[in-house]
Amino acid sequence: MKNVFAIKVWTPPRILALGYAICILLGTFLLMLPVAHQGGEGLSFLNAFFTATSATCVTGLVVVDTGTFFSTFGQVVIMCLIQIGGLGFMTIATLFALVFGRRISLRERLVLQEAMNQGDMEGIVRLIKKVIYYSFAIELIAAFLFTLRLMADFPLGQAMYYGAFHAVSLFNNAGFDLFGHYSSFTRYVSDPAFNIISMALIVLGGLGFVVLSDLIEYRKHRKLSIHSKAVLWMTSILLVGGFVLVFIFEFTNLKTIGSLSWDGKIWGSLFQSVTTRTAGANTLDLTQLRQATLFLTIILMFIGGSPGSTAGGVKTTTILLIVGAVISMVKGKEDVVLFYFRINKDRIYKALTITVFSLSLVIVATMVLTMTEATDFMSVLFEATSAFGTVGLSLGLTPNLSTTGKLVICLLMFAGRVGMITLVWALAPKQDKELYRYPEGKIMIG
């Protein structure tokens, strides 16, 4: 019997999965403390576990209202879990190691490589330093801008606190808010300043730190990597396409943007498209959206953000590679070519594997939830996709979930944050390399 404490057993994927699990359990116990709640209300272990999972996995689905149920202590715990989950617990651990002057070991570099979805370890610590610097700089600037805007609605102290919380929440694509009564940002649907700050945070957090680094250093090097080009191109298509379709679908819907001014229609449609980068905040009443808009939102939530970012989903580049493979097949070409570069077939296989695993998990979870929850199919599918994509958008089902439903949603959030490939590698036994190949067989397709 293998020793479970042996060093070889703790591969980078297993360390990542275990690290997130430990953060969730620690957050659960902190949120169960009486000091974490307002008015002396208690919080059950399951609800605390659900909240900690949602925060650590930067999702934003809630079973109790964050702004009215939790005390300042509880809200700060949630904010810290969001920061750890968004940047990655290994990034935070590396920050402390750098502060105290400790050397980063080879094993830690391997885990960082897995966490940041990098192909090799070269420059991984330098990248982590950039992640920390960029993240805190963006959050500080956004907190300041939020404070200036919120001073018109709240006292200075509260405006500063709200500004800091929502800057962390939005940049990490978490979707938690403090405005109370599950209202999210609906009061600011037509507010240009609030929308611009919020959407900028969501997009910057969802692009990925490698892309941010490329953009910031563009003036110096005058070039972008193929990864950054793919991310920017795909993100632009999804944002613009989502905006146009939401605008068309909801234009005459008086319960969403139909009753708003032209400015309100534009801001509302644009924010609804941007928030599907897995941010989870909303300025429109989601329960009043038309079925076409809800289905579009489900598709965009499943795709999510980009690799190496604070966002979830199967990722923009995954879908781009699959679409590229389909186009190449239709054109009768052997290679998948993007931006004049040939893409290795291993990348295509990985993209297909991630998509199939992810789709299968959402389908199975949806089937289970249809049996355990007394609601319509669209609400169940929407909630399941939102959880897996670590989005946090909800049609109101989450607070009313059964015990089984909460556990299923927690599993989806965990799988969405850790990543399907990482999770499979963490759970699967180590496979020895095959020393032989089977003869080729042919199966008819289509």
Side-chain angles (χ1 to χ4, degrees):
M1 183 177 177
K2 291 184 178 180
N3 182 6
V4 296
F5 296 103
I7 293 178
K8 291 183 179 180
V9 173
W10 293 104
T11 59
R14 289 179 179 174
I15 293 174
L16 277 179
L18 180 64
Y20 279 111
I22 291 173
C23 289
I24 290 170
L25 289 176
L26 179 60
T28 299
F29 290 114
L30 289 175
L31 292 176
M32 288 180 68
L33 296 175
V35 70
H37 321 133
Q38 294 188 30
E41 294 183 70
L43 188 66
S44 66
F45 174 83
L46 181 57
N47 285 343
F49 178 75
F50 188 99
T51 305
T53 303
S54 183
T56 305
C57 298
V58 290
T59 305
L61 291 174
V62 293
V63 287
V64 293
D65 187 70
T66 309
T68 57
F69 184 87
F70 290 103
S71 64
T72 301
F73 174 82
Q75 292 167 359
V76 170
V77 169
I78 290 173
M79 183 167 63
C80 291
L81 290 175
I82 291 171
Q83 189 73 83
I84 293 171
L87 300 186
F89 78 94
M90 277 303 300
T91 301
I92 302 299
T94 303
L95 170 61
F96 284 106
L98 294 173
V99 168
F100 291 105
R102 191 175 69 81
R103 186 175 178 274
I104 310 300
S105 68
L106 176 62
R107 175 164 289 273
E108 290 167 338
R109 290 170 190 263
L110 286 170
V111 178
L112 287 170
Q113 176 189 342
E114 179 72 25
M116 299 305 297
N117 200 19
Q118 296 298 295
D120 53 61
M121 288 188 297
E122 183 181 356
I124 190 66
V125 175
R126 185 166 61 251
L127 175 60
I128 294 300
K129 290 179 180 179
K130 291 181 180 179
V131 168
I132 295 169
Y133 175 77
Y134 295 158
S135 300
F136 290 158
I138 291 171
E139 288 174 355
L140 283 172
I141 294 171
F144 174 72
L145 295 176
F146 266 138
T147 300
L148 294 179
R149 169 59 190 86
L150 294 173
M151 282 172 56
D153 303 327
F154 303 97
L156 178 59
Q158 189 175 1
M160 292 176 64
Y161 174 58
Y162 275 25
F165 185 95
H166 292 109
V168 171
S169 178
L170 289 173
F171 178 72
N172 290 286
N173 279 229
F176 282 85
D177 72 274
L178 300 180
F179 294 116
H181 308 294
Y182 305 103
S183 63
S184 193
F185 299 157
T186 51
R187 68 178 69 186
Y188 296 109
V189 61
S190 300
D191 189 297
F194 197 92
N195 274 278
I196 291 172
I197 300 169
S198 300
M199 289 189 293
L201 282 170
I202 294 168
V203 172
L204 289 174
L207 285 177
F209 297 107
V210 172
V211 179
L212 285 180
S213 178
D214 269 6
L215 290 174
I216 291 172
E217 297 179 2
Y218 179 75
R219 293 181 63 183
K220 179 180 178 182
H221 301 292
R222 288 293 174 182
K223 66 177 181 178
L224 294 173
S225 66
I226 181 176
H227 170 76
S228 295
K229 290 179 181 178
V231 166
L232 293 171
W233 191 77
M234 192 65 178
T235 300
S236 300
I237 290 176
L238 292 173
L239 291 179
V240 175
F243 160 68
V244 171
L245 290 176
V246 171
F247 187 84
I248 293 172
F249 293 159
E250 297 295 320
F251 187 80
T252 58
N253 186 353
L254 298 178
K255 296 179 180 179
T256 55
I257 67 172
S259 59
L260 300 176
S261 64
W262 272 97
D263 287 350
K265 286 181 172 65
I266 292 173
W267 288 121
S269 302
L270 187 56
F271 193 93
Q272 183 63 26
S273 176
V274 171
T275 195
T276 56
R277 297 301 86 218
T278 80
N282 58 281
T283 56
L284 301 177
D285 185 352
L286 300 181
T287 62
Q288 302 300 326
L289 293 176
R290 287 175 171 157
Q291 296 288 298
T293 311
L294 290 176
F295 191 64
L296 171 66
T297 303
I298 288 172
I299 295 172
L300 294 176
M301 290 193 299
F302 184 76
I303 297 173
S306 301
S309 71
T310 61
V314 295
K315 304 298 189 292
T316 53
T317 49
T318 301
I319 300 300
L320 179 61
L321 289 182
I322 293 176
V323 172
V326 171
I327 293 174
S328 295
M329 177 64 71
V330 170
K331 290 183 176 180
K333 295 183 178 180
E334 184 177 348
D335 295 326
V336 177
V337 178
L338 294 174
F339 305 103
Y340 304 103
F341 283 91
R342 176 175 54 83
I343 307 301
N344 192 298
K345 284 184 170 57
D346 288 345
R347 299 285 91 191
I348 307 299
Y349 292 150
K350 185 175 182 180
L352 285 169
T353 303
I354 290 172
T355 304
V356 171
F357 273 149
S358 302
L359 190 58
S360 300
L361 181 62
V362 171
I363 290 173
V364 171
T366 301
M367 288 181 177
V368 173
L369 290 172
T370 54
M371 294 187 292
T372 62
E373 313 306 315
T375 187
D376 61 284
F377 176 76
M378 182 64 82
S379 296
V380 169
L381 179 60
F382 191 96
E383 216 81 4
T385 309
S386 178
F388 171 75
T390 68
V391 184
L393 296 176
S394 174
L395 296 180
L397 176 60
T398 300
N400 303 312
L401 285 170
S402 63
T403 299
T404 303
K406 290 176 183 177
L407 292 175
V408 170
I409 292 297
C410 284
L411 174 62
L412 285 168
M413 291 190 291
F414 187 77
R417 184 65 191 105
V418 175
M420 286 304 300
I421 294 295
T422 300
L423 189 60
V424 170
W425 284 346
L427 297 176
K430 185 177 180 181
Q431 300 292 326
D432 295 327
K433 186 176 181 180
E434 293 182 351
L435 301 178
Y436 56 88
R437 297 177 69 186
Y438 291 99
E440 182 179 341
K442 293 185 179 180
I443 298 176
M444 290 186 293
I445 299 175

